[in-house]
Amino acid sequence: CKTIGVLTSGGDAPGMNAAVRAVVRTATAKGMEVKGIRRGYAGLLDEDIVDMPPVSVSDIIHRGGTILYTARCREMFQPEVQDHAAEICRKHGIEGLVIIGGDGSFRGAGALAERGINTIGVPGTIDLDIACTDYTIGFDTAINTAMEAIDKIRDTSTSHERVSIVEVMGRQAGYIAMWCAIANGAEDMLLPEMYDHDEQALIDRIIEKRRKGKKHHIIINAEGIGHSVSMAARIEAATGIETRATILGHMQRGGTPTCKDRVYASIMGAKAVELLQEGKSKRIVAYRGGAFVDYDIQEALHMQKSLPEDYIRISKSLIR
Ligand code: F6P
């Protein structure tokens, strides 16, 4: 490819800027030109396209968010819109495209590849819910941000001898909740993948722990379960213990990316350009079994993953 494009799509994630920087720097070092497409596929359809020389990505590796802006673009699921998007790429001389985002964004990437644009996906989401990879850009920063917030909630929860429900993001996946439950030493974790809706059992556990002398009871609730505020009211009514709900929300998506997110995002961005240079298309860069690899997009979209059983078993055994 002589000219490639790069876009970020779907929910933003800390480390996306490091990936964009790596795409630009790797491609320009190989003599390619890079066009930045702003606001994801929506910006592609609006032809919101800017030149990205190496200097355009200076001073961004440490910043949260994405300098390219992002959007969720449902139109891009329609075949005629995909035809139009491929035409726009051709009009701007974009032969290859790096798409940093989640599964929805990769569907668009697959469609563009079928229309002659070489596409490579890079997994970017705080949710870790992309089956082909053990790592997604932003997850590490998000869990550290949530962990620090939950530590603070624990201080006040203990002082007031309360029950605290903390709702973390993750869409239908419980990865953020599971990691925080272990890292914060939570008394309970409610994960969408294995929630039994047995609120009475939860209430019994709270009463039992209080009897044993626990001063606080932190429940990490995944947003895929949700309803934290009404759950808190029911727990307070049933136990007589003051109960508060905190929904951490979008703070989990912002902030300075961790070292891991900067480094892995940089490697993935660079790998995406290397794949384009090799003439590859319709691939997703992934991290699996300790190595950076790549998969066919359709194959990757059909993969499934589940929460690691040993994490679940051990985290439960640590609650006393
Ligand atoms: O996919 C990232 C994520 O933050 C999810 O955890 C959450 O469900 C969703 O995006 C929120 O989306 P929005 O920013 O559009 O409200």
Side-chain angles (χ1 to χ4, degrees), residues 53 99 160 185:
I99 291 112
H160 287 265

Side-chain angles (χ1 to χ4, degrees), residues 262-273:
R262 296 181 201 193
V263 173
Y264 281 34
S266 296
I267 293 171
M268 286 182 152
K271 287 263 176 203
V273 174

Side-chain angles (χ1 to χ4, degrees), residues 285-299:
V285 180
Y287 180 80
R288 201 119 187 246
F292 291 94
V293 292
D294 55 280
Y295 292 102
D296 173 76
I297 286 185
Q298 298 309 336
E299 188 193 329

Side-chain angles (χ1 to χ4, degrees), residues 222-261:
E223 78 167 335
I225 295 171
H227 303 289
S228 295
V229 174
S230 56
M231 198 185 287
R234 288 191 297 274
I235 289 172
E236 181 164 314
T239 62
I241 304 167
E242 273 191 324
T243 303
R244 296 286 189 267
T246 307
I247 298 167
L248 293 185
H250 286 82
M251 67 173 296
Q252 294 162 96
R253 286 236 299 266
T256 302
T258 59
C259 183
K260 180 173 180 174
D261 274 329

Side-chain angles (χ1 to χ4, degrees), residues 72 125-127 169-171 223 250 253:
R72 300 188 198 279
T125 167
I126 64 163
D127 301 334
M169 276 188 168
R171 210 174 280 281
E223 78 167 335
H250 286 82
R253 286 236 299 266

Side-chain angles (χ1 to χ4, degrees), residues 77-139:
F77 292 121
Q78 298 165 23
E80 60 278 13
V81 175
Q82 295 163 351
D83 291 342
H84 185 48
E87 277 312 310
I88 292 170
C89 287
R90 271 188 276 277
K91 178 178 161 191
H92 288 266
I94 297 171
E95 301 156 277
L97 187 58
V98 178
I99 291 112
I100 305 164
D103 277 349
S105 315
F106 297 152
R107 279 194 198 99
L112 286 175
E114 282 161 14
R115 287 160 176 78
I117 308 299
N118 288 351
T119 55
I120 306 290
V122 171
T125 167
I126 64 163
D127 301 334
L128 198 67
D129 61 349
I130 299 177
C132 70
T133 186
D134 301 337
Y135 166 84
T136 60
I137 296 172
F139 175 72

